[in-house]
Amino acid sequence: MAVKDWIADYKLNLSDSLFSVQVLLVAFGALITVPILTGLDPGVALFTAGAATLIFHGFTKRHIPVFLASSFAYTAPILIATETWGLAATLGGLVAAGLVYAGIGGIIYWKGRNFIPSLFPPIVIGPIMMVIGLMLIPVAVSMILGRSNPAHLISDKIGLLIAAVTLVVTIVTFMLARGIFKLIPVIGGFIAGYLVSIPFGIIDFAIVAGAPWFAIPKFVLPQFNIHAVVFLVPAVVAPAIAHFGDILAIGEITEKNYLREPGIHRTLLGNGAANTVAACFGGPPVRIYAEITGAVAVFKKCDPAIMVWAAILAVALAFVGKLSAIIQTIPDPVNGGILILFFGALVAAGINCLLQVESKLMEFRNVLIVVIILVTGIGGITFSAGAFTLKGVALATLTGVILNRILPDEIADES
């Protein structure tokens, strides 16, 4: 493709350009938390999030408006592997895990993929979307109350005030603003929350002062240790299953069937390849961010080009120390105030999906599927064996698919 054609494909209007900036702001809080928890470099995570998103869009032919960044699902296995075999060997195991993840997509393509959409009717998609939103809302609440970072605890009252200002300004800007201000509700909310936070002394400006203008992320090359590989490869099962839920969620919001086009095999291949490349540079594995899916639901911005430009911005920002440091100083209650809106939007979208079932929703079979998906997804049920863990969205998705296949369409009432 000629350069001029590429530019034409990705040309954005002012609204979409500003939204791409807001995408990165929304993703940034969770994006850097995983590397902080696992001892990886946040600058590398920012770089690999951008690179991973670009890789994913390459595999999926730029069809899906998603952004990929650090996955929490691998946190525990990474911590254990790093302590046991070291960081380089852990990265080698993650490279292998990414290849296996991509291999799952290859198997689906090889064996046939036409049956996949039939596994996910609205009665399964709806509660899965609700699980994604409901299990993340407590994360946003923890951020609002200033409890998400033990090293920088914030008073509940201060956190609530900051989050309330952030959320109110975002909503008011979205609903009432005119002109250019209509285009930046999230940016407006972030600025308002940031300014309110300053008098409380919870922003560490020393981070910004000490950051260089230009900084090369601390990339780490992987080394391969068979023991680390064997330990980490099983960890891909749960994220791969949860991937179906993520694709279903964005498909429901955009009213498109991404399981068919570009196909779940392409999305799995893209996510797996992205994980492999991220590990090659020293970054954590990635997944589709529910925060961004929620933002798409709220603002109705469905152009994948927005996510591509957000990814390019992430890669560039990884080398700009001052700007990266400024974003890192954004207090958790500011992030939480924004995220509570987007996570709630996912729950509402799930409810809307269930309404497609109409009068059949209260049939015992369908009630059973909805209830068990919700209980397994947000009830804290976990199955673990070594690095393999099945819980949350992954467990809910697998449970929903199985129940929908084994339960008869009509369950007779006993007289």
Side-chain angles (χ1 to χ4, degrees):
M1 179 184 292
V3 173
K4 65 178 182 179
D5 294 331
W6 189 92
I7 293 174
D9 284 347
Y10 289 99
K11 185 178 180 180
L12 301 179
N13 57 35
L14 179 59
S15 174
D16 290 343
S17 299
L18 290 172
F19 188 69
S20 68
V21 177
Q22 294 177 117
V23 164
L24 191 56
L25 284 172
V26 170
F28 200 89
L31 190 161
I32 66 170
T33 300
V34 173
I36 289 173
L37 291 174
T38 56
L40 301 175
D41 182 74
V44 173
L46 184 59
F47 174 86
T48 55
T53 301
L54 293 174
I55 290 169
F56 180 85
H57 282 278
F59 272 88
T60 57
K61 301 185 289 187
R62 305 183 302 278
H63 276 35
I64 312 175
V66 295
F67 186 89
L68 277 67
S70 310
S71 171
F72 283 89
Y74 295 85
T75 301
I78 289 175
L79 287 172
I80 295 171
T82 301
E83 183 178 350
T84 307
W85 298 288
L87 177 57
T90 298
L91 293 172
L94 293 175
V95 168
L99 293 174
V100 172
Y101 195 125
I104 295 173
I107 292 171
I108 290 176
Y109 178 73
W110 175 45
K111 289 294 186 180
R113 54 194 171 93
N114 294 330
F115 74 98
I116 296 293
S118 66
L119 300 179
F120 299 100
I123 197 64
V124 174
I125 298 175
I128 288 174
M129 293 180 68
M130 293 172 66
V131 166
I132 294 174
L134 289 170
M135 70 179 295
L136 290 173
I137 285 176
V139 176
V141 172
S142 179
M143 297 175 75
I144 289 171
L145 299 179
R147 300 171 183 170
S148 57
N149 187 349
H152 300 283
L153 295 177
I154 300 172
S155 164
D156 289 3
K157 293 181 179 179
I158 293 175
L160 284 169
L161 173 62
I162 295 170
V165 170
T166 303
L167 182 58
V168 168
V169 170
T170 301
I171 294 173
V172 170
T173 304
F174 180 68
M175 297 183 67
L176 302 179
R178 296 292 181 269
I180 190 173
F181 296 104
K182 182 75 173 180
L183 308 179
I184 54 172
V186 174
I187 294 176
F190 270 107
I191 293 174
Y194 197 91
L195 292 176
V196 170
S197 302
I198 293 175
F200 295 109
I202 60 177
I203 299 177
D204 186 4
F205 289 106
I207 297 175
V208 181
W213 281 105
F214 177 79
I216 299 177
K218 299 176 182 177
F219 297 118
V220 179
L221 296 177
Q223 296 177 359
F224 293 95
N225 180 309
I226 187 60
H227 301 290
V229 169
V230 170
F231 177 76
L232 286 166
V233 162
V236 307
V237 175
I241 296 174
H243 178 88
F244 283 81
D246 295 330
I247 294 297
L248 291 169
I250 188 63
E252 180 64 25
I253 288 167
T254 59
E255 299 181 352
K256 294 183 179 180
N257 189 344
Y258 296 124
L259 296 179
R260 290 192 182 276
E261 181 61 39
I264 194 65
H265 65 295
R266 284 186 176 273
T267 66
L268 286 165
L269 282 167
N271 204 149
N275 282 346
T276 297
V277 172
C280 286
F281 284 94
V286 297
R287 68 166 294 178
I288 294 171
Y289 259 28
E291 298 89 314
I292 307 306
T293 301
V296 171
V298 171
F299 298 112
K300 307 302 180 184
K301 296 288 187 180
C302 302
D303 187 352
I306 294 172
M307 306 302 169
V308 172
W309 282 110
I312 293 172
L313 179 61
V315 172
L317 189 59
F319 294 90
V320 183
K322 290 288 186 186
L323 291 177
S324 180
I326 290 173
I327 297 179
Q328 289 184 55
T329 64
I330 296 175
D332 284 343
V334 176
N335 289 314
I338 296 289
L339 293 179
I340 201 76
L341 173 63
F342 298 150
F343 294 155
L346 284 176
V347 178
I351 294 172
N352 182 64
C353 182
L354 281 177
L355 293 178
Q356 298 178 30
V357 183
E358 297 178 347
S359 60
K360 295 183 178 181
L361 178 58
M362 294 311 296
E363 290 183 1
F364 181 70
R365 172 190 187 275
N366 292 334
V367 171
L368 190 62
I369 292 174
V370 172
V371 168
I372 295 181
I373 288 176
L374 292 176
V375 170
T376 55
I378 63 178
I381 300 174
T382 302
F383 293 99
S384 299
F388 171 76
T389 300
L390 200 61
K391 61 180 181 180
V393 179
L395 183 58
T397 301
L398 184 61
T399 301
V401 169
I402 292 174
L403 286 177
N404 182 61
R405 300 297 289 185
I406 66 174
L407 291 179
D409 289 337
E410 295 183 5
I411 298 180
D413 294 328
E414 294 184 8
S415 53

